[in-house]
Amino acid sequence: MAITRYFVMRHATSEANLKGTVQGLLDVPLALQGKEEAAEVGKALRTLGITRVYTSPLQRALETALIVAEQLSVEVSFVNGFRARNLGEWEGMSRDEINEIWADPNHPFGNNPDFAPPKGESLRNMDARILGAVEHILEGDTKEVPLFVMHIVGAGTVIHHATKKRSGLKNAEVWELNSEEKTARLIIAPNSQNLPAHE
């Protein structure tokens, strides 16, 4: 037996999201807007039976998780495997700078899952890390209904694994997944702007 019902959330808006800079493993805090988003999401999730929040240890995800968990009156656990994709030398670059790199439609970042930015991590390796961490948790206490707080690419990986479709998530977006029923549904879609997703 395994946990079959769980939730996945992208962290709320960070300072770097507002500035339009690449984060990766840079430890960036939430913006005030992000703290407000996280509190609203926590309130919206109160009736869904979530029993624990698991989070990436990076500050923007951890702050999101702590605010949500406070609203739910549940504990938070750190999962190193949920950390953001390592974007190596691209971290800290502006949106304009990174778009210049990706101007070529044949650039391997968008076309080759084995491509890694200089000193960074490939999408394939990140997918394996994220899914391995999720699987480990889902093999635990079957009475648990967990919420995973992640970064955009990792959350997208979990949803893609369930739906076979990849899409960018807005900050503080939440999905409910059920592996037994083979369903994945968007339950919280913030009205905020879809801020830079380069994490």
Side-chain angles (χ1 to χ4, degrees):
M1 294 291 291
I3 296 168
T4 57
R5 178 172 172 259
Y6 56 102
F7 295 81
V8 178
M9 176 182 183
R10 181 188 176 190
H11 66 75
T13 301
S14 72
E15 294 285 359
N17 289 141
L18 292 178
K19 292 175 184 174
T21 55
V22 177
Q23 296 170 100
L25 296 182
L26 294 179
D27 212 5
V28 181
L30 287 184
L32 176 59
Q33 173 184 330
K35 293 177 182 179
E36 292 170 349
E37 290 167 348
E40 287 302 310
V41 168
K43 291 173 186 174
L45 294 175
R46 282 178 180 165
T47 62
L48 296 177
I50 292 167
T51 58
R52 182 180 289 268
V53 178
Y54 292 87
T55 181
S56 157
L58 294 177
Q59 190 174 354
R60 57 195 183 271
L62 174 58
E63 286 185 56
T64 301
L66 289 171
I67 293 168
V68 170
E70 183 178 11
Q71 295 292 335
L72 301 177
S73 299
V74 300
E75 294 184 359
V76 174
S77 295
F78 305 100
V79 183
N80 194 45
F82 285 1
R83 68 191 181 279
R85 182 177 176 184
N86 180 357
L87 293 175
E89 293 179 2
W90 294 355
E91 293 176 358
M93 295 176 70
S94 71
R95 188 187 333 184
D96 290 340
E97 289 172 321
I98 205 74
N99 284 341
E100 270 189 43
I101 294 173
W102 295 343
D104 178 357
N106 296 315
H107 191 285
F109 184 75
N111 301 308
N112 181 358
D114 292 309
F115 170 80
K119 299 182 182 176
E121 179 181 25
S122 73
L123 180 64
R124 191 181 305 279
N125 285 346
M126 190 219 67
D127 281 356
R129 166 169 60 79
I130 294 285
L131 293 175
V134 167
E135 184 177 348
H136 178 73
I137 295 167
L138 296 183
E139 289 172 349
D141 183 352
T142 56
K143 294 178 183 176
E144 196 167 273
V145 179
L147 166 66
F148 303 144
V149 178
M150 299 181 175
H151 306 270
I152 187 169
V153 186
T157 289
V158 177
I159 294 165
H160 173 253
H161 186 66
T163 65
K164 307 308 176 197
K165 296 177 183 176
R166 272 198 193 273
S167 61
L169 284 76
K170 290 185 177 182
N171 289 105
E173 188 170 306
V174 183
W175 285 65
E176 180 180 8
L177 295 94
N178 190 310
S179 56
E180 187 173 48
E181 298 176 359
K182 296 183 171 31
T183 57
R185 65 187 183 104
L186 175 62
I187 60 168
I188 297 178
N191 293 323
S192 60
Q193 177 188 359
N194 201 354
L195 291 164
H198 314 316
E199 304 200 315

